[in-house]
Amino acid sequence: MTRRTAVRRVVSLVPSLTEAVAATAPDLLVGATDWCSHPADLAVTRVRGTKNPDTERIVRLAPDLVIANEEENRAPDLAALRAAGLRVMVTEVRTLEQAFSELERVLVEGCGLARPEWLDRAEAAWRDPTPVPPPPVRLRAAVPIWRRPWMVLGRDTFAGDVLARLGIDNAYAAHAERYPRVPIEELRAARLDLVVLPDEPYRFTADDGPEAFPEAVPVALVSGRHLTWYGPSLAEAPEVLSAAVRAARR
């Protein structure tokens, strides 16, 4: 990749952005959070979690750029990094369009790279995805992201926008909160066509989650990386998510 600025050292505080930089110019990354799991062989200094980064360690790494997200990272931590003289770029991603524009901003404007080919493929994959149910049918779904207590996707979320483009409407999209707590009794009583259980942030599995819902409601276990991450995984996300939902509804 041809670089347009003098950026040589990057610390990422967002797993999906870590993967995006690693897929484009892996030699740039010098630090990432403990939650940055892709690529699997990522060998950089770990700076704790997204909500409790080790700001002193980040400063010692002397990055030219720190990349963060307004939802995943706390404002006081980012302020501390700026106060130490570091350049911090903060993304906001609540729709697919924002994901694509923010990825280009981080990689091109922030890191000084040429626009990567994988980003073109990701945009192409979402240009006209095939809905899971044939139109005009749409599925009404709840998307739990935690249990004990149960929490679901609410309004204005990236993952909700992703599902909507596949013909799946979030039953709590009009909720006042973005990640409301919803009693399991309410979820069980809701008129749902589908329950979508990702494997992050809570790791729902075949043995932990589906048993909480009525047998008549299909439960799709999906990859959280394909549902909630904005990065190279977007190129295959429509196919991966659609396949998981179709398998649940058979």
Side-chain angles (χ1 to χ4, degrees):
M1 286 289 176
T2 300
R3 295 189 186 157
R4 301 177 181 177
T5 68
V7 172
R8 293 291 181 270
R9 297 173 65 81
V10 174
V11 170
S12 173
L13 301 181
V14 184
S16 53
L17 294 179
T18 298
E19 184 179 20
V21 175
T24 309
D27 58 305
L28 282 187
L29 285 168
V30 296
T33 74
D34 296 344
W35 297 104
C36 294
S37 56
H38 286 75
D41 61 351
L42 183 66
V44 298
T45 299
R46 299 294 176 162
V47 296
R48 289 203 308 243
T50 58
K51 305 298 185 187
N52 65 335
D54 187 332
T55 55
E56 292 183 1
R57 179 176 293 179
I58 293 171
V59 172
R60 288 197 299 270
L61 286 172
D64 302 306
L65 177 68
V66 177
I67 49 180
N69 176 263
E70 52 88 26
E71 180 176 55
E72 293 199 48
N73 307 119
R74 302 187 314 146
D77 295 322
L78 304 182
L81 295 173
R82 289 193 177 102
L86 298 183
R87 178 189 176 201
V88 180
M89 178 174 277
V90 182
T91 59
E92 178 183 298
V93 177
R94 301 189 183 187
T95 66
L96 268 169
E97 284 83 0
Q98 278 189 308
F100 293 133
S101 63
E102 289 287 66
L103 283 166
E104 182 166 358
R105 185 170 73 93
V106 166
L107 296 170
V108 178
E109 178 185 328
C111 297
L113 302 168
R115 179 184 165 94
E117 184 272 338
W118 64 257
L119 186 52
D120 293 331
R121 287 190 288 106
E123 285 194 332
W126 283 101
R127 198 159 290 134
D128 190 24
T130 302
V132 176
V137 175
R138 297 186 66 84
L139 302 178
R140 185 171 184 269
V143 189
I145 56 169
W146 203 259
R147 68 181 302 177
R148 307 183 191 96
W150 285 90
M151 299 174 67
V152 300
L153 291 185
R155 64 169 180 84
D156 196 22
T157 66
F158 170 73
D161 188 47
V162 164
L163 291 173
R165 292 163 190 266
L166 299 176
I168 303 166
D169 295 326
N170 178 10
Y172 290 88
H175 198 283
E177 298 177 23
R178 296 186 68 214
Y179 303 101
R181 295 186 180 187
V182 179
I184 188 60
E185 292 77 17
E186 178 181 327
L187 288 172
R188 288 171 178 155
R191 292 185 176 182
L192 300 174
D193 303 308
L194 181 71
V195 173
V196 177
L197 297 181
D199 60 9
E200 61 175 78
Y202 186 91
R203 187 172 179 78
F204 287 106
T205 67
D207 299 319
D208 186 357
E211 80 290 342
F213 298 92
E215 290 186 6
V217 179
V219 175
L221 293 164
V222 304
S223 160
R225 176 169 165 262
H226 291 96
L227 179 61
T228 65
W229 288 33
Y230 38 94
S233 58
L234 282 173
E236 58 188 24
E239 181 179 348
V240 171
L241 294 173
S242 295
V245 173
R246 290 191 183 101
R249 299 181 68 231
R250 286 176 186 157

